[in-house]
Amino acid sequence: MSRKTSYVENWKHKSHHQKYADFSSNNFTSMRRFAQYKASSFQTLRFCDVSNNAIQQDAADLLENTPPKIKQFIAFNNQFYGSLPASLNNLPKLRQFEMASNALSGSLPDFTESFAALQELDLSNQTKGFTGPIPEDVWSSLSLKILNLAGSMLTGTIPSLVGNLAVLEVLDLSNNLLKGSLPSELGLLGGGASLKRLDLSNNAFTGVIPIQVGQLRGASVLLKDNRFQITSNTAPLNLCLEREVKEFDLADDTILCPPERNALSNLYDSAKGAEWTNGSLWLDEYASYCDWKGVTCEDDMNHVVKLNLTNNGLSGRLSESIGNLTFMKELDLCDIFLVPAEKLLAPRVRIHVVRIDKRKH
């Protein structure tokens, strides 16, 4: 008999004042004895971990018999089945509720009325999966720090109310059937500073990726396997360059984040673009780089073939990224630089006409 198995046999007789119970990683197949601990003589349990077992039980039965003052309930990687009851028991002290990797199904219930203090909700990766929309009350759970509903069959859209989640650290809605445009209020998640991960990958989102998503400082933004490429020309420039976010999983997507736009952006920064005489549309979050002042493109692929920034107040250094403009045929940069530009262009760029002022400060 394992240490934990021996412990659970004694616990049911001696635990009327038990606060902490860890039964994880055993071979338990049921929690039906849990019901007796909800009685008036058992009000003290605060933490219960039954994860990584083989418990086969209806989730509704489990929640019906949960001790009323519990704060943390962890039951991931089991075989709990059925739907969560539409009206959950009132568990006002519950902060952490994890039932990921089970076989739950049906629609999601109202959590906020029953779990008023909830901070972590993880119902991800169900073998059957939840269906229907995400309840609106979820977006009013002001104490939520982790919301993970990945790996189900949830439908509907993300409403602007998502911006209410001002202390959120993780929002994972990946691998569902969500659709529609992303609201700009996503930029308010975690107050714009505390969010660590936004994962909306593998859904059916369309439209323009909001500028505000690129302003989630320090966050990993995961949006792969949606339909942005079909309905949008480019992603926000700031997001593609990962200037504020920690990671953007589509940064290498040549449709949403064209490499030639990135190269021109680096040129702007290194040549002190903010001081240029005319930098019209340069670094605009959505405008085509072919419309930036002095840039000429040709063909349907929008390749840069000419760059004319003569007499435009350029200074500083010429970024090596200009070598990524591999289709460019004509370059005119008659201003003052700290390095000769030809060294940066060869051998990747074959330019027929080059005009560069080689004077140095």
Side-chain angles (χ1 to χ4, degrees), residues 4 20-28 31 47-57 59 62-63 72-81 84 96-104 120-127 130 146 148 150:
K4 285 184 180 179
Y20 182 94
D22 185 354
F23 301 143
S24 61
S25 302
N26 280 275
N27 294 315
F28 301 141
M31 285 190 64
F47 175 93
C48 183
D49 186 349
V50 295
S51 60
N52 295 309
N53 281 289
I55 300 173
Q56 300 182 34
Q57 189 170 340
L62 169 70
L63 292 171
Q72 296 171 275
F73 182 70
I74 304 170
F76 61 81
N77 198 22
N78 278 284
Q79 298 174 39
F80 287 105
Y81 58 85
L84 297 176
Q96 180 181 7
F97 185 60
E98 295 190 27
M99 291 193 71
S101 301
N102 280 283
L104 302 177
E120 300 182 26
L121 176 62
D122 189 347
L123 298 173
S124 60
N125 302 319
Q126 304 296 327
T127 56
F130 295 104
I146 297 177
N148 191 343

Side-chain angles (χ1 to χ4, degrees), residues 1 11 19 24 53-54 57 94 97 238 263 276 279 287 296 299 332 336:
M1 179 180 293
W11 185 70
K19 293 183 178 181
S24 61
N53 281 289
Q57 189 170 340
L94 188 66
F97 185 60
N238 197 45
W276 290 0
T296 302
D299 68 42
D332 194 337
I336 299 174

Side-chain angles (χ1 to χ4, degrees), residues 309-336:
L309 295 174
T310 184
N311 300 320
N312 203 23
L314 280 71
S315 61
R317 300 180 67 88
L318 187 60
S319 171
E320 294 184 7
S321 67
I322 198 173
N324 294 325
L325 301 174
T326 55
F327 291 86
M328 188 161 58
K329 300 175 183 178
E330 184 174 342
L331 174 64
D332 194 337
L333 301 174
C334 282
D335 279 294
I336 299 174

Side-chain angles (χ1 to χ4, degrees), residues 108 121 123-125 133-135 138-139 144 146-159 162 165 168 170-179 182-183 186 189 197-205 222-224 226:
L108 292 171
L121 176 62
L123 298 173
S124 60
N125 302 319
I134 299 172
V138 169
W139 312 118
L144 266 182
I146 297 177
L147 176 58
N148 191 343
L149 301 176
S152 274
M153 294 181 287
L154 295 171
T155 57
T157 62
I158 297 178
V162 68
L165 304 180
L168 201 69
V170 174
L171 176 59
D172 191 342
L173 303 177
S174 61
N175 297 291
N176 278 288
L177 303 175
L178 300 171
K179 62 181 181 179
L182 300 183
L186 285 170
L189 289 173
R197 179 162 60 93
L198 172 64
D199 192 347
L200 305 178
S201 59
N202 198 19
N203 278 282
F205 291 115
L222 310 176
L223 300 178
K224 276 187 176 179
N226 280 283

